[in-house]
Amino acid sequence: MRKVIGITGASGAVYGLRVMEALRNLNVETYLIISGSAKKVMREEGIDPTRIESLATRVFGEGEMEAPIASGSFWFDGMAIVPCSMKTLASIAHGITDNLVTRAADVALKERRRLVLVIRESPLSLVHIRNMELVSMAGAIVMPASPPFYNRPTTIDDMINSVAGRVLDLLGLRNNMYRRWGDPTDGSPS
């Protein structure tokens, strides 16, 4: 499997970090792009961008438009943007491919590959909602970073893992990062 992961300038880079850790543990080939804005937010949130980069198979800068993932002829089977800023969402919704994150997302959509956008914004404006509608109609999956509480999280890590685990689910990767609803083997509510 080959996955593209983008991390953009919304709060919540810890979700991207956890997804990258899980992908590394699953031996998935990963192609990572971290936007300049994301690096600024990461520093504010106490996350070293090089820590996340060390987990990737390959790392690209957002300006590297010649990267293989910018072409539909380069095969990858899915992409997630974790977290996805509203600027990135808007660019994808309107076909603006002015950096490698939005270009790779455009490739995923045009090639009918899985694209998961983990938005991290609240409250949402009508503009945000319409952009989510547009990307959904184009084939993307919009996933708010909203951890569930039916699984009775007891730590922040439990909440981060539940969001990261759902991202992996949506990318087609089985995992046991969180307790699933109705699964009697893990003690979650039925």
Side-chain angles (χ1 to χ4, degrees), residues 60-71:
F60 299 101
E62 68 181 329
E64 291 184 61
M65 297 298 279
E66 73 283 359
I69 58 177
S71 173

Side-chain angles (χ1 to χ4, degrees), residues 11-22 45 47 51-52 82-83 118 120 143-149 151-169 175-179:
S11 179
V14 68
Y15 293 120
L17 170 61
R18 193 61 47 86
V19 166
M20 288 298 296
E21 289 170 343
E45 295 179 344
I47 296 173
R51 179 176 171 203
I52 299 175
V82 189
V118 181
R120 237 292 309 132
M143 181 190 151
S146 300
F149 291 92
N151 58 2
R152 299 184 191 107
T154 57
T155 66
I156 290 175
D157 269 351
D158 289 344
M159 296 167 71
I160 294 166
N161 286 341
S162 65
V163 170
R166 288 291 291 142
V167 172
L168 295 180
D169 288 348
N175 67 87
N176 60 356
M177 293 183 69
Y178 66 103
R179 291 174 51 208

Side-chain angles (χ1 to χ4, degrees), residues 89 92-93 109 115 117 129-143:
L89 170 70
I92 296 166
L109 290 175
L115 175 62
L117 306 177
I129 293 166
R130 287 190 173 151
N131 285 336
M132 286 187 277
E133 177 186 32
L134 287 173
V135 297
S136 294
M137 290 171 56
I141 296 171
V142 177
M143 181 190 151

Side-chain angles (χ1 to χ4, degrees), residues 79-109:
M79 177 176 184
I81 303 175
V82 189
C84 181
S85 69
M86 292 298 108
K87 177 182 184 270
T88 301
L89 170 70
S91 294
I92 296 166
H94 296 280
I96 301 168
T97 59
D98 59 351
N99 64 47
L100 187 56
V101 174
T102 56
R103 174 58 190 165
D106 190 62
V107 166
L109 290 175

Side-chain angles (χ1 to χ4, degrees), residues 26-94:
L26 292 169
N27 296 314
V28 173
E29 187 176 343
T30 54
Y31 292 73
L32 176 67
I33 316 140
I34 302 175
S35 74
S37 295
K39 288 180 180 182
K40 290 177 187 175
V41 173
M42 283 180 191
R43 288 184 190 101
E44 287 295 318
E45 295 179 344
I47 296 173
D48 180 0
T50 60
R51 179 176 171 203
I52 299 175
E53 291 172 344
S54 72
L55 299 167
T57 306
R58 289 196 60 191
V59 178
F60 299 101
E62 68 181 329
E64 291 184 61
M65 297 298 279
E66 73 283 359
I69 58 177
S71 173
S73 67
F74 182 80
W75 182 84
F76 61 88
D77 62 322
M79 177 176 184
I81 303 175
V82 189
C84 181
S85 69
M86 292 298 108
K87 177 182 184 270
T88 301
L89 170 70
S91 294
I92 296 166
H94 296 280

